[in-house]
Amino acid sequence: MPKKELSERKEKILTALVDDYIKSAVPVSSGDIQSKYLPEVSSATIRSELNALEALGYIDKPHTSAGRVPLAEAYKLYCEKAFINREFSESDLSEMTGRFSKQVSDIEKLSAEAAKIITDSTNYTSIVVTNNFEDVEIEEIKLVGLNNGIALVLIVTSCGIISDKSIELPDEIMHAGLETASELLNGVFKGQKVSKLDTDAFLAKIGENLKGYRQVFDEIIDILKNYSLEKRKSVHVEGALRVLDYSDSPSDVKNFLQLVGDSESLEKLVSTPDDNIELSLKIGSDENGGIDKCAIVTAEYKINGQVIGQAGVIGPERMDYKKVLSVLDGIKKSLENVFDGDKTEE
Amino acid sequence: MPKKELSERKEKILTALVDDYIKSAVPVSSGDIQSKYLPEVSSATIRSELNALEALGYIDKPHTSAGRVPLAEAYKLYCEKAFINREFSESDLSEMTGRFSKQVSDIEKLSAEAAKIITDSTNYTSIVVTNNFEDVEIEEIKLVGLNNGIALVLIVTSCGIISDKSIELPDEIMHAGLETASELLNGVFKGQKVSKLDTDAFLAKIGENLKGYRQVFDEIIDILKNYSLEKRKSVHVEGALRVLDYSDSPSDVKNFLQLVGDSESLEKLVSTPDDNIELSLKIGSDENGGIDKCAIVTAEYKINGQVIGQAGVIGPERMDYKKVLSVLDGIKKSLENVFDGDKTEE
DNA sequence: GTTAGCAGACAAAGGGTTAGAGTGCTAACA
DNA sequence: TGTTAGCACTCTAACCCTTTGTCTGCTAAC
């Protein structure tokens, strides 16, 4: 919408307007701006500037004789400026890092804790999406016989143990013994990446003489595929009920809570940034989801250049962006600290 | 509050009043009752009866010139009568039973499904608490060696497999071999009830010569104790957001959702019936929890005389009790069908 | 380009009236 | 003694009207 750079005064007026609106939730008048932020010019001048800003699509007024309210475009500009001029207190940072370092081990716990910290600090609902590393490697496969020809399948991976699936054993394997079968399975699967299972190559490895194992292989491949599917993304939401602090409309609350309860939509929402910058801001709803009258601020987290996840805040359009930006930035720094700390320990 | 039996007419008037209020949500006047339910007497007569009912604590009026609204006592009486006169359609019952029988195996899934059915049928939030059987029996214990002297502990019980705990192996067991250790463990634990682990007796069984196993025994007993602890109760909630269909106050919604998100309070709420009857009704909040302006209807489910759980509905005070009672009753019958079916199969 | 001044628009709040729905009371009646 | 009709009284909700204050846009002057 905005075609060219705004004049310095327009920008100043716009920032003042957004600041004031975030604080007061009331349409901001030219007089307000003049008295609080720009006493050196008259309100009439500010009025004409506001007129221009309205024509540019930054602001709007609810009715003829009301003050102005910011539109999405205004919030975006406001955020960009706030992000550039962001400040961060060292003490906040060290407190965050402290909360993290207690549980450095587990990436799931780490993101749950990140979500808690974000919500505690901002008082908005937070969302943390983690891309779990896709190169899970199979370290060992074991079949453990239970009664009735059922065997528990144990798969030890670089990311943990899969131990909740069992299969029925075909006669052929029952006779040959589970030890043998386990060894054979290990021969095929050991060292493989879960994300790159080459079924055909496996079948070739089994060879003609072991066709009876086909069924077991298929079942194990199924287990692995499901595992990599469900492990790929995890979504943590914290403070969903914060919506009740700022929204009065039951239907809005319902929409919000439904969205926030649906990991899939959330993940889509958070991991499709509208820009390739460090920080993404989405206001209102569009084709990728979103929700009316709400804004979503998302930051992307990388370790060694690899994107490991996104963390974001979902709150009212008129949210305390400065706070939110500073917290998300702090989380980013903390995570880097934690992981650097981790590295040096090894 | 009510000291003696109500006259037949009073009871009829009270029932009419509750019926009407549930439908309309508007205070009910003497004229309404006369025209819709009791045309054979005048409104003045009804007025004097209402006066009496008010004195007895069954009803109240919001202000001098308003109709009457039911109080908790009125709802209770209404429910008792509705429960005695309940009807249930065979087709509904067979539909419910149908939904259950697909997943008869797992009690967890069963209660999750029960919660879904209740919410689907009533449009209120449902809560299902399951007392898992306490006499879980150990069928087999296996140690499966992983790398680094770690072993996965597999415990096959009558209720499923515990397979998510691992322990560090002491040298003694490493040398003796896992087969031997597993056999020994089975000798001690096989057939034992998880709820009645007699630690001393086990230690005696191990005997002096196997003192090195002590550590492993302790760890396994820990695992079993935790298991029986976390398995004892499970709480399923479905349709929490239904509260938004009938409540407009953000703070009420918040309280409701917070309660409903807290399994422990819920479980307490649902499993402390105020009466020893089949059905319990709790209106408003009291020392056992509860929530203002809400009612909780709970039914207790037994199999072979043993209480296996409670299912309930939590909704607005003026909820469709007839529907709710019939659904809870239907669930009870369905569960009996399912379990009887299960029995005859064995 | 900026400003002061002014007319016009509008929302929000307050007051007063009216209409309607209820009740309680009383007196008459069976 | 229980029931009923009639009536006075109460209270809410809706409506209209006015007032107040806040903003804007426009215009003319600087």
Side-chain angles (χ1 to χ4, degrees):
Chain A
M1 196 72 71
K3 285 137 202 166
K4 52 177 188 174
E5 287 282 302
L6 294 178
S7 74
E8 193 176 332
R9 191 168 69 186
K10 280 198 180 57
E11 210 163 87
K12 195 168 172 187
I13 288 175
L14 192 55
T15 307
L17 189 139
V18 174
D19 265 331
D20 205 74
Y21 188 69
I22 286 176
K23 272 201 211 97
S24 69
V26 169
V28 186
S29 75
S30 54
D32 287 341
I33 298 181
Q34 197 253 341
S35 62
K36 293 188 216 162
Y37 306 90
L38 263 189
E40 62 270 23
V41 296
S42 79
S43 66
T45 309
I46 294 174
R47 268 204 293 287
S48 71
E49 294 285 48
L50 288 175
N51 245 330
L53 286 168
E54 186 175 338
L56 289 169
Y58 283 106
I59 57 181
D60 197 13
K61 47 179 177 341
H63 59 83
T64 337
S65 73
R68 304 303 211 288
V69 294
L71 293 178
E73 216 55 52
Y75 288 118
K76 281 189 190 157
L77 192 68
Y78 179 87
C79 270
E80 278 167 32
K81 283 189 61 178
F83 186 65
I84 292 168
N85 305 325
R86 84 201 111 122
E87 298 163 9
F88 200 74
S89 99
E90 276 306 315
S91 67
D92 284 0
L93 181 60
S94 68
E95 194 212 317
M96 279 191 193
T97 313
R99 282 184 71 171
F100 275 129
S101 60
K102 284 176 211 149
Q103 34 200 346
V104 66
S105 56
D106 185 340
I107 193 155
E108 287 290 311
K109 278 184 186 152
L110 212 63
S111 29
E113 186 64 19
K116 280 208 189 75
I117 294 174
I118 296 172
T119 288
D120 283 354
S121 313
T122 62
N123 289 318
Y124 299 120
T125 308
S126 66
I127 305 161
V128 177
V129 174
T130 314
N131 306 326
N132 284 316
F133 309 105
E134 292 204 2
D135 55 351
V136 176
E137 194 176 307
I138 300 166
E139 292 179 358
E140 191 168 6
I141 294 194
K142 271 199 181 165
L143 296 179
V144 181
L146 307 173
N147 41 5
N148 318 327
I150 305 281
L152 187 77
V153 182
L154 278 182
I155 306 177
V156 184
T157 75
S158 52
C159 265
I161 304 172
I162 309 174
S163 63
D164 57 346
K165 307 282 177 196
S166 50
I167 58 174
E168 207 165 322
L169 293 173
D171 291 342
E172 189 165 350
I173 293 185
M174 286 291 275
H175 295 144
L178 289 173
E179 291 289 324
T180 323
S182 294
E183 267 170 42
L184 184 82
L185 288 172
N186 269 314
V188 177
F189 284 106
K190 202 167 195 163
Q192 299 293 328
K193 309 271 190 202
V194 172
S195 56
K196 293 176 202 146
L197 296 176
D198 186 345
T199 318
D200 294 336
F202 292 164
L203 290 177
K205 260 194 187 169
I206 313 175
E208 287 298 316
N209 53 341
L210 287 165
K211 261 187 182 160
Y213 280 72
R214 174 68 189 263
Q215 181 191 338
V216 174
F217 274 86
D218 285 348
E219 291 195 65
I220 288 177
I221 285 170
D222 263 4
I223 293 171
L224 289 169
K225 277 185 179 158
N226 277 328
Y227 177 76
S228 80
L229 221 61
E230 79 191 20
K231 275 287 169 178
R232 210 165 50 208
K233 292 271 188 186
S234 81
V235 179
H236 288 273
V237 175
E238 190 70 31
L241 294 184
R242 301 288 176 138
V243 66
L244 294 162
D245 297 339
Y246 53 85
S247 178
D248 287 330
S249 146
S251 69
D252 288 352
V253 170
K254 188 164 198 170
N255 287 338
F256 184 96
L257 291 175
Q258 255 157 8
L259 171 72
V260 153
D262 174 7
S263 303
E264 277 183 44
S265 323
L266 265 192
E267 189 243 297
K268 208 161 125 191
L269 198 59
V270 169
S271 33
T272 48
D274 55 356
D275 273 323
N276 256 345
I277 52 168
E278 288 179 281
L279 199 110
S280 144
L281 172 67
K282 184 194 291 272
I283 291 179
S285 60
D286 61 17
E287 68 283 356
N288 287 320
I291 193 157
D292 278 340
K293 294 176 228 164
C294 282
I296 301 168
V297 186
T298 318
E300 205 165 69
Y301 295 109
K302 293 180 187 180
I303 291 176
N304 304 329
Q306 198 192 358
V307 176
I308 59 151
Q310 290 89 17
V313 163
I314 173 165
E317 206 172 69
R318 46 173 231 81
M319 73 165 90
D320 186 345
Y321 290 100
K322 283 182 183 161
K323 181 80 185 174
V324 168
L325 291 173
S326 116
V327 169
L328 290 182
D329 203 39
I331 292 281
K332 176 175 264 174
K333 291 209 175 77
S334 290
L335 280 177
E336 281 165 11
N337 281 358
V338 167
F339 275 86
D340 283 355
D342 215 27
K343 283 264 161 52
T344 50
E345 275 175 30
E346 280 176 18
Chain B
M1 199 73 67
K3 288 138 202 166
K4 51 177 189 174
E5 288 282 303
L6 294 179
S7 74
E8 193 176 331
R9 192 169 67 185
K10 280 198 181 57
E11 209 164 85
K12 196 167 172 188
I13 288 175
L14 192 55
T15 308
L17 189 139
V18 175
D19 264 330
D20 205 74
Y21 188 69
I22 286 175
K23 271 200 210 96
S24 70
V26 169
V28 186
S29 74
S30 55
D32 287 342
I33 298 181
Q34 197 255 339
S35 61
K36 293 188 214 160
Y37 305 91
L38 261 190
E40 64 271 23
V41 296
S42 80
S43 67
T45 309
I46 295 175
R47 266 202 296 285
S48 72
E49 293 284 50
L50 288 175
N51 244 327
L53 286 169
E54 185 174 338
L56 290 169
Y58 283 106
I59 57 181
D60 196 13
K61 48 182 175 347
H63 58 84
T64 336
S65 73
R68 304 301 209 289
V69 294
L71 293 179
E73 216 55 51
Y75 287 118
K76 281 189 189 157
L77 193 68
Y78 179 88
C79 270
E80 278 166 31
K81 284 190 61 180
F83 186 64
I84 293 167
N85 304 324
R86 83 202 111 122
E87 297 163 9
F88 199 74
S89 99
E90 277 304 316
S91 67
D92 283 2
L93 182 59
S94 68
E95 196 212 314
M96 277 190 194
T97 313
R99 282 183 71 172
F100 275 129
S101 59
K102 284 175 210 149
Q103 34 200 345
V104 64
S105 55
D106 184 340
I107 194 152
E108 286 290 311
K109 279 183 187 154
L110 213 63
S111 31
E113 187 64 19
K116 280 206 189 78
I117 295 175
I118 296 172
T119 288
D120 284 353
S121 313
T122 62
N123 289 319
Y124 299 120
T125 307
S126 66
I127 305 161
V128 177
V129 175
T130 314
N131 306 326
N132 285 316
F133 308 106
E134 292 206 1
D135 54 351
V136 176
E137 194 176 308
I138 300 166
E139 292 178 358
E140 192 169 6
I141 295 194
K142 272 198 179 167
L143 296 178
V144 181
L146 307 175
N147 39 7
N148 317 328
I150 306 282
L152 188 76
V153 181
L154 278 182
I155 307 177
V156 184
T157 75
S158 51
C159 266
I161 305 171
I162 310 173
S163 63
D164 57 344
K165 308 282 176 196
S166 49
I167 59 175
E168 206 164 323
L169 293 172
D171 290 343
E172 189 166 350
I173 293 185
M174 286 290 275
H175 294 145
L178 290 174
E179 292 289 323
T180 323
S182 293
E183 267 169 42
L184 184 82
L185 289 172
N186 270 313
V188 176
F189 284 106
K190 201 168 197 164
Q192 299 293 328
K193 310 272 188 200
V194 173
S195 57
K196 294 173 201 147
L197 296 176
D198 184 346
T199 318
D200 293 337
F202 293 162
L203 289 178
K205 261 193 187 170
I206 312 175
E208 285 297 316
N209 53 339
L210 288 164
K211 260 187 179 159
Y213 279 74
R214 173 69 188 263
Q215 179 189 340
V216 175
F217 274 86
D218 285 347
E219 291 195 65
I220 288 177
I221 285 169
D222 262 3
I223 293 171
L224 289 168
K225 278 186 176 156
N226 277 328
Y227 178 75
S228 81
L229 219 63
E230 78 193 22
K231 277 286 169 178
R232 210 163 53 206
K233 293 270 187 188
S234 81
V235 180
H236 289 272
V237 175
E238 189 72 31
L241 293 184
R242 300 289 175 137
V243 65
L244 294 163
D245 297 339
Y246 54 86
S247 179
D248 286 332
S249 144
S251 69
D252 289 352
V253 169
K254 189 163 195 170
N255 287 338
F256 184 96
L257 291 175
Q258 256 157 7
L259 172 71
V260 152
D262 175 7
S263 303
E264 276 182 46
S265 324
L266 266 191
E267 190 243 297
K268 207 161 124 193
L269 198 58
V270 169
S271 33
T272 48
D274 55 355
D275 274 324
N276 256 346
I277 52 169
E278 289 178 279
L279 200 108
S280 142
L281 173 67
K282 185 195 288 275
I283 291 180
S285 59
D286 61 16
E287 70 284 355
N288 287 321
I291 191 159
D292 278 339
K293 292 175 232 165
C294 281
I296 300 169
V297 186
T298 319
E300 206 167 68
Y301 294 109
K302 293 180 185 179
I303 291 176
N304 304 328
Q306 197 190 0
V307 177
I308 58 152
Q310 289 88 17
V313 163
I314 173 165
E317 206 173 67
R318 47 172 230 82
M319 74 165 91
D320 185 346
Y321 289 101
K322 284 183 182 161
K323 181 80 187 173
V324 167
L325 291 173
S326 118
V327 169
L328 290 182
D329 202 39
I331 292 281
K332 176 176 261 173
K333 292 207 174 78
S334 290
L335 280 178
E336 281 165 11
N337 280 358
V338 167
F339 275 87
D340 283 355
D342 216 28
K343 283 266 158 53
T344 52
E345 275 174 29
E346 279 177 16

